[in-house]
Amino acid sequence: MMMSNLAPVPELYVSYESAQKLKLEAAELTSWDLTPRQICDLELLMNGGFNPLKGFLSEEDYTSVVENMRLANGALWPMPVTLDVSEDFASKIEVGQDIALRDQEGVILAIMSVTDNWEPNKSLEAEKVYGADDIAHPAVNYLHNQAGKIYIGGPITGIQQPVHYDFRGRRDTPNELRTFFRKVGWRRVVAFQTRNPLHRAHQELTFRAAKEAQANLLIHPVVGMTKPGDVDHFTRVRCYEAVLDKYPSSTTSMSLLNLAMRMGGPREAVWHGLIRANHGCTHFIVGRDHAGPGKNSAGEDFYGPYDAQELFRKCQDEIGVEMVDFKHMVYVQERAQYEPADEIEEGVTVLNISGTELRRRLSEGLEIPEWFSFPEVVTELRKTRPPRAQQGFTVFFTGFSGSGKSTIANALMVKLMEMGGRPVTLLDGDIVRKNLSSELGFSKEHRDLNIRRIGYVASEITKNGGIAICAPIAPYATTRRAVREDVEAFGAFVEVHVATSIEECEKRDRKGLYKLAREGKIKEFTGISDPYDVPENPELAVDTINIDVDNCAHQVILKLESMGLIAG
């Protein structure tokens, strides 16, 4: 029997009294400190958002989900929800053992009874779940370069939900929403999933969708992890709140969903539908290229524009939620209103602003017309994204030892300080090694950690409106990408490849390091006994052979001007 959208869903929490007792017992257990993504997953496991799951997937369930979009018992479930851990941690855990799951401040949220401990085939997972083993896909990149190598599975006993200090009145569990729908008499509820600010076209679309389904509207934005580079959820929620009073108050509500998105296209759409069914919704708006991550390594879209709608339509009876098509809405100038693009006759003037064009207008401080967005939304976006020439940014030099990175970085720092307007910080490789990473060696693990530290400091400088100039060797592409994602959450990241050849760097070898590396006296030396991943698409490449330092620094200045980061 399909559960009524008003009956409670099962939760994994124990009673308050049992939780207090379990907390004391759990303090003695081996602990795993959850990552931000795992905290999102655990919250939805415990509160019933991931019903019928009773914990992180076992190996049998995982294999079945990857291969068939179903749990081992046949229930529809398209997305692996797994607890990935390090090899070191997994080696200390035995099947049958209980472990404590803690948040990042050490608070025990749950106990997990480990039933499975295995090393997955991540390339197969990427192919089957996301359609390609291509690290241009953010979830595939996460799988290969951030997630732990081993998965452990088993049922969860929930002790307490993760603490959120923001927008507490807007966060509802599935059962809290069901209680609300029951109380206000909502029997048909259409959910709108979004990870972007709402503009006038979205408002018109959602209003029409609710009308078409003869349902009330739940705006249900994701405030967990979305795509790197998305507008932060604090700004987005303020934008949603600014738009809420544009809807009839008795027919529309908003609740926040702490979901870690995978950007998994068609499978993710089905997953979103199951999650909304658990939250008491009866209808769900599925967008064009729903939860698509953008372009693959070949520059093509990962998924077709209607793949998600087609898969959802096939599964909707099992999901228990009816799909409402996302209509592409455009503004008709002559009638001063939004209309579905496929219903417009020839000869009328259609106005539209793409996401790229909106970002350009925001970054250059240009006008955003009222027909496109609400003034209140634009005000919120401008607070977070002032014109680019007023934002913080990071210039990240990479290249072989002796290529000239530090010299150009110093010259650039002086030129930017001469211009004034923003504080400038130089994070040179040697300076960082001395002050931030003095305990680290030169193994791959330690070099990665050193670059991640540089990235963290650069992201904080960028967030606070300053300019960070980084000049490490940074030989590994995956680590540079991780730093880019950290920084781009707050401002621009400008990668500059100092493309001086290894032969030229060896000739300049003032410190005698290459000679020692050739003699085997320095192990794991970039370019000699350790690889260097040449940047494929840096914002700028400079070669210091026969070009003076001033000219190289000036090339960077011109690039920053062309990107709008400094005033021309």
Side-chain angles (χ1 to χ4, degrees):
M1 282 285 289
M2 179 60 63
M3 253 190 308
S4 155
N5 72 311
L6 302 178
V9 290
E11 295 183 350
L12 304 182
Y13 292 112
V14 293
S15 68
Y16 177 80
E17 292 75 19
S18 298
Q20 299 313 302
K21 185 167 170 279
L22 281 175
K23 255 186 204 174
L24 294 172
E25 292 172 14
E28 306 300 317
L29 297 176
T30 302
S31 298
W32 173 253
D33 293 339
L34 298 158
T35 65
R37 178 160 121 170
Q38 291 167 352
I39 292 172
C40 291
D41 286 351
L42 179 64
E43 179 170 353
L44 286 166
L45 281 169
M46 294 193 296
N47 69 20
F50 284 169
N51 180 58
L53 302 192
K54 302 299 180 212
F56 289 101
L57 295 185
S58 66
E59 185 175 7
E60 185 187 18
D61 278 329
Y62 162 80
T63 303
S64 184
V65 166
V66 168
E67 293 285 351
N68 311 311
M69 286 195 2
R70 294 183 180 278
L71 300 172
N73 66 7
L76 179 68
W77 192 266
M79 203 58 69
V81 176
T82 51
L83 187 66
D84 56 280
V85 299
S86 64
E87 287 179 283
D88 182 50
F89 182 82
S91 68
K92 298 170 188 167
I93 299 299
E94 294 177 6
V95 168
Q97 185 175 343
D98 285 354
I99 61 169
L101 302 180
R102 297 177 183 264
D103 70 12
Q104 296 188 306
E105 293 183 355
V107 176
I108 297 171
L109 303 178
I111 293 173
M112 174 176 170
S113 301
V114 179
T115 58
D116 296 76
N117 180 331
W118 78 101
E119 183 174 345
N121 180 342
K122 291 187 176 182
S123 293
L124 181 70
E125 182 179 337
E127 284 281 352
K128 294 280 189 179
V129 178
Y130 304 110
D133 190 14
D134 180 349
I135 63 164
H137 193 299
V140 176
N141 180 56
Y142 183 94
L143 202 58
H144 287 306
N145 297 317
Q146 288 172 261
K149 199 169 180 183
I150 307 297
Y151 290 172
I152 57 176
I156 293 295
T157 303
I159 293 175
Q160 69 175 70
Q161 60 185 14
V163 178
H164 300 288
Y165 297 107
D166 59 324
F167 307 114
R168 295 181 77 154
R170 296 278 184 200
R171 294 178 182 269
D172 303 289
T173 68
N175 284 328
E176 285 169 345
L177 270 184
R178 285 165 174 255
T179 301
F180 169 73
F181 297 153
R182 199 161 54 240
K183 183 177 179 182
V184 296
W186 288 13
R187 297 295 178 267
R188 294 164 67 86
V189 183
V190 59
F192 178 59
Q193 145 104 23
T194 178
R195 47 173 250 273
N196 295 308
L198 289 183
H199 302 296
R200 287 188 186 270
H202 300 108
Q203 196 256 350
E204 187 66 36
L205 151 80
T206 50
F207 186 69
R208 280 173 179 253
K211 206 169 167 186
E212 190 180 298
Q214 296 182 309
N216 293 285
L217 176 66
L218 176 70
I219 299 171
H220 207 201
V222 169
V223 295
M225 299 170 73
T226 59
K227 187 181 170 187
D230 279 353
V231 176
D232 68 274
H233 82 266
F234 300 102
T235 301
R236 288 191 287 112
V237 174
R238 291 196 300 269
C239 289
Y240 303 142
E241 290 184 328
V243 174
L244 264 185
D245 65 358
K246 313 292 181 191
Y247 292 92
S249 60
S250 59
T251 66
T252 304
S253 186
M254 179 173 81
S255 180
L256 308 183
L257 180 66
N258 197 43
L259 173 71
M261 287 183 70
R262 273 58 161 179
M263 309 307 298
R267 279 195 183 220
E268 180 124 358
V270 172
W271 194 40
H272 290 170
L274 289 165
I275 292 165
R276 278 9 183 266
N278 284 326
H279 282 79
C281 302
T282 56
H283 295 70
F284 183 53
I285 300 170
V286 179
R288 190 177 179 277
D289 192 25
H290 186 96
K295 306 288 184 189
N296 63 18
S297 294
E300 297 161 356
D301 289 336
F302 271 96
Y303 311 114
Y306 302 107
D307 288 359
Q309 292 183 355
E310 286 168 19
L311 185 62
F312 197 102
R313 196 173 280 112
K314 280 181 197 165
C315 300
Q316 73 177 9
D317 288 346
E318 258 189 289
I319 295 168
V321 166
E322 198 175 313
M323 182 174 81
V324 180
D325 283 3
F326 187 106
K327 301 264 192 309
H328 180 49
M329 308 296 293
V330 291
Y331 187 76
V332 180
Q333 190 172 26
E334 286 82 355
R335 295 193 278 272
Q337 66 183 21
Y338 276 90
E339 297 177 15
D342 58 1
E343 294 176 16
I344 292 170
E345 72 275 19
E346 284 185 28
V348 297
T349 311
V350 169
L351 303 179
N352 194 20
I353 291 179
S354 68
T356 305
E357 174 63 9
L358 172 64
R359 287 189 290 275
R360 186 186 76 83
R361 288 180 181 232
L362 284 169
S363 72
E364 295 179 21
L366 301 174
E367 182 203 358
I368 293 165
E370 279 204 37
W371 62 260
F372 175 77
S373 193
F374 302 99
E376 301 92 328
V377 170
V378 174
T379 300
E380 288 299 338
L381 291 174
R382 288 203 194 280
K383 282 181 194 171
T384 307
R385 291 286 164 122
R388 261 195 149 181
Q390 294 167 26
Q391 288 178 24
F393 63 89
T394 291
V395 180
F396 192 94
F397 290 93
T398 173
F400 291 121
S401 175
S403 60
K405 302 181 301 299
S406 298
T407 315
I408 302 168
N410 272 294
L412 176 66
M413 178 179 69
V414 172
K415 286 177 181 290
L416 290 170
M417 288 173 79
E418 181 187 0
M419 291 178 183
R422 282 172 282 196
V424 185
T425 304
L426 176 63
L427 298 168
D428 182 59
D430 290 342
I431 295 169
V432 170
R433 279 278 176 185
K434 182 180 173 185
N435 296 296
L436 199 63
S437 299
S438 58
E439 86 287 8
L440 298 183
F442 289 89
S443 66
K444 181 180 189 306
E445 184 187 1
H446 278 196
R447 279 192 278 181
D448 275 348
L449 182 54
N450 182 50
I451 301 304
R452 292 306 300 266
R453 286 179 184 178
I454 290 172
Y456 171 73
V457 176
S459 71
E460 288 295 306
I461 291 166
T462 300
K463 178 170 73 175
N464 289 292
I467 300 170
I469 303 173
C470 311
I473 294 171
Y476 308 121
T478 52
T479 318
R480 295 195 300 263
R481 173 175 172 159
V483 170
R484 178 184 287 273
E485 289 178 359
D486 288 348
V487 170
E488 285 185 339
F490 307 112
F493 180 88
V494 184
E495 185 176 46
V496 180
H497 178 211
V498 183
T500 312
S501 68
I502 190 86
E503 293 78 17
E504 178 64 22
C505 293
E506 210 161 342
K507 278 185 210 166
R508 298 175 181 177
D509 192 14
R510 288 197 301 270
K511 299 175 185 174
L513 299 176
Y514 283 93
K515 183 171 182 292
L516 292 170
R518 293 279 183 205
E519 292 168 357
K521 292 175 183 172
I522 299 179
K523 306 294 181 194
E524 297 174 309
F525 191 86
T526 300
I528 305 296
S529 51
D530 208 57
Y532 177 77
D533 300 336
V534 176
E536 290 183 8
N537 298 297
E539 277 70 17
L540 180 67
V542 296
D543 191 337
T544 58
I545 299 176
N546 301 323
I547 300 174
D548 65 32
V549 171
D550 192 66
N551 186 296
C552 291
H554 191 63
Q555 285 181 51
V556 181
I557 292 287
L558 291 173
K559 184 66 187 177
L560 297 176
E561 278 186 12
S562 74
M563 293 174 72
L565 293 166
I566 54 178

